Amino acid sequence: QGAVKRQALYACSTCTPPGAEPAGICLACSYECHGTHRLFELYTKRNFRCDCGNSKFKNLQCKLFPEKSKVNSGNKYNDNFYGLYCTCKRPYPDPEDEIPDEMIQCIVCEDWFHGRHLGAVPPESGDFHEMVCQACMNHCHFLWAYASQLAGKEIPPLTKASSLEDEGIVLKVEESEEQKKEIKKESGVEHQDTKEEKQSEQFNEPSTSSGSESLNTYGYCSKFLQKFLVENAETTSEFSFTKSEEPVCKLKELQSKPFVKKDTATFWPSNWRSKLCACEDCLKMYSELEVQFLTDECDTVLAYENKGTSDQETERRDPLMDTLNSMNRVQQVELICEYNDLKTELTDYLRRFADEGTVVKREDIQHFFEEFQSRKRRRTNRMQYYCS
């Protein structure tokens, strides 16, 4: 399938011992091609293509896909592929380490670290979604500006008011000294004819008032707001708020405020990636630093696990029950009888292998089903025992 967005990987120390080139294999190849070998579990890695059987494996050919590229240039490797983790470069589990400690994966370099080797104590409640290690914080220096606002804190859900501000929708009405005087005049300080004259000058339209009571302060403000919106509204069929033409860079705003850089790892809440700026300059910076995945919510390990859970729930659906629901009653009875016969005969057939301690081979299974189909044909030649 090429480079898979995220998948579980293994490293084979039997085929690629220390000193050899690092290589990673997929879950399927760990069963089919390396079943009797010594493997290191690497957990999940992003954008990786299985190396099994390529030029890194001199005496091994992949049983699933023999024709493979010699080298997967897009793959990234680290000490994990030799069974070593963290800054201490120790195996996991470590037989010489008696200190109980949790291993946490950095979401940038995807190495695993002991909690005590992060330079910062993980939150006691474990209430964090992702971790960025010390080295990656130095590499992704821009994250320090976000860390002062997001790291170690739970981000509250967006409210209606804050969402408008995030989208850059701004509406400001500033009153000049002359306008303030006009509002005071509207409160009844000056005479009717003076108020009408000032309003006519302000809006460049003739006064429509007669000897009746003039517009009050509310009426004046309404007219002023309407005039402001008309002058500043976008040329659409309906009046709307205007968005700034140039998107505001969130990173520059945060960098303009004081923040502290530390030589430690950082811990981030669940929705922190959505808060990263996605302006053109920032996207270019992510690409240069090779961390474009930080803007992808589906890149997280949690998203990968949730997808696996969803797929498992789909697979748990009983295909027999789905088939039965599409049949009439007679067909349902026949299918259930055939299913029970198959289950009984297959159980008896496999029990013989278990009693003798022999391995069931593919040829044995094929032979069983050939015999079962033959017996089934003999049974169906009998007289029909139901009304069609």
Side-chain angles (χ1 to χ4, degrees):
Q1 298 179 10
V4 180
K5 190 170 184 178
R6 182 172 289 280
Q7 64 172 321
L9 293 178
Y10 297 80
C12 180
S13 63
T14 304
C15 297
T16 55
E21 290 188 77
I25 60 176
C26 67
L27 177 64
C29 285
S30 72
Y31 290 131
E32 190 71 17
C33 310
H34 304 264
T36 60
H37 297 178
R38 186 186 178 196
L39 303 178
F40 296 116
E41 186 175 4
L42 304 178
Y43 299 92
T44 66
K45 303 282 186 183
R46 68 170 64 89
N47 298 331
F48 199 93
R49 188 178 187 184
C50 180
D51 288 320
C52 180
N54 66 9
S55 61
K56 296 186 176 185
F57 295 79
K58 297 180 181 179
N59 301 319
L60 178 76
Q61 186 179 43
C62 181
K63 297 178 182 179
L64 298 177
F65 294 95
E67 299 297 328
K68 286 192 172 183
S69 302
K70 291 185 178 180
V71 178
N72 295 318
S73 58
N75 290 353
K76 293 184 178 181
Y77 306 91
N78 57 17
D79 289 327
N80 293 175
F81 291 84
Y82 297 116
L84 304 176
Y85 306 89
C86 190
T87 56
C88 59
K89 305 303 177 186
R90 296 293 302 171
Y92 181 83
D94 189 350
E96 299 180 7
D97 187 5
E98 298 180 356
I99 302 175
D101 199 354
E102 182 181 12
M103 295 285 282
I104 307 173
Q105 187 180 34
C106 172
I107 53 95
V108 178
C109 67
E110 297 190 302
D111 195 358
W112 290 82
F113 297 84
H114 295 101
R116 64 184 185 276
H117 294 159
L118 291 172
V121 180
E124 292 183 2
S125 61
D127 190 16
F128 64 94
H129 183 62
E130 293 180 309
M131 182 273 290
V132 181
C133 71
Q134 296 161 284
C136 290
M137 285 300 297
N138 293 329
H139 175 67
C140 305
H141 50 84
F142 67 93
L143 287 179
W144 283 114
Y146 290 99
S148 60
Q149 301 291 326
L150 306 179
K153 303 174 182 178
E154 188 62 35
I155 302 173
L158 287 176
T159 60
K160 189 173 183 180
S162 62
S163 61
L164 291 175
E165 183 178 356
D166 290 340
E167 293 181 8
I169 301 176
V170 181
L171 177 62
K172 293 183 178 180
V173 180
E174 297 182 356
E175 298 175 347
S176 64
E177 291 296 326
E178 183 179 355
Q179 292 166 348
K180 292 178 181 178
K181 292 179 180 179
E182 290 296 327
I183 294 177
K184 290 182 179 179
K185 292 176 182 178
E186 290 299 327
S187 63
V189 177
E190 294 190 15
H191 295 295
Q192 171 80 19
D193 55 346
T194 305
K195 289 182 286 184
E196 292 180 355
E197 183 180 352
K198 293 292 184 181
Q199 291 171 6
S200 299
E201 292 175 0
Q202 178 69 23
F203 294 102
N204 297 319
E205 61 182 10
S207 174
T208 55
S209 300
S210 58
S212 61
E213 187 177 356
S214 63
L215 293 174
N216 57 16
T217 304
Y218 173 80
Y220 175 81
C221 291
S222 298
K223 272 204 164 190
F224 176 79
L225 181 59
Q226 181 181 358
K227 179 174 180 291
F228 176 86
L229 292 175
V230 169
E231 291 176 351
N232 293 276
E234 296 176 350
T235 55
T236 57
S237 58
E238 296 180 358
F239 296 134
S240 61
F241 293 112
T242 58
K243 294 186 177 180
S244 56
E245 296 179 359
E246 293 291 334
V248 179
C249 179
K250 298 178 184 178
L251 178 60
K252 290 181 179 179
E253 288 185 353
L254 291 174
Q255 288 176 335
S256 65
K257 302 174 184 178
F259 61 90
V260 179
K261 289 185 178 181
K262 302 178 182 179
D263 188 21
T264 65
T266 51
F267 304 88
W268 303 81
S270 59
N271 55 344
W272 75 279
R273 294 192 186 206
S274 63
K275 296 297 181 179
L276 297 180
C277 182
C279 72
E280 185 176 349
D281 291 339
C282 285
L283 291 177
K284 182 180 179 182
M285 176 183 63
Y286 302 150
S287 178
E288 292 173 349
L289 295 174
E290 298 183 346
V291 291
Q292 306 96 313
F293 53 83
L294 287 180
T295 59
D296 184 6
E297 292 287 344
C298 296
D299 172 75
T300 65
V301 176
L302 180 61
Y304 171 82
E305 292 174 347
N306 289 340
K307 182 179 182 300
T309 302
S310 176
D311 293 344
Q312 287 178 359
E313 290 177 353
T314 302
E315 293 174 357
R316 286 193 193 105
R317 293 180 58 186
D318 191 341
L320 177 61
M321 296 306 299
D322 290 341
T323 305
L324 283 172
N325 291 333
S326 63
M327 295 180 171
N328 60 40
R329 182 171 180 78
V330 173
Q331 291 173 326
Q332 289 176 348
V333 172
E334 282 191 330
L335 178 59
I336 291 173
C337 291
E338 291 291 342
Y339 175 80
N340 288 331
D341 289 344
L342 172 62
K343 181 179 178 181
T344 301
E345 293 188 29
L346 182 59
T347 302
D348 294 339
Y349 180 74
L350 295 177
R351 186 177 289 114
R352 295 202 301 268
F353 290 89
D355 294 340
E356 297 171 2
T358 56
V359 177
V360 181
K361 299 179 181 179
R362 180 179 299 179
E363 295 79 13
D364 298 323
I365 297 298
Q366 291 176 343
H367 175 72
F368 168 81
F369 277 99
E370 289 173 359
E371 290 291 325
F372 183 80
Q373 289 291 342
S374 177
R375 290 192 296 273
K376 178 182 176 182
R377 283 192 292 269
R378 290 196 297 270
R379 289 197 301 269
T380 54
N381 291 332
R382 301 172 186 171
M383 184 183 298
Q384 183 172 322
Y385 59 87
Y386 63 86
C387 298
S388 58

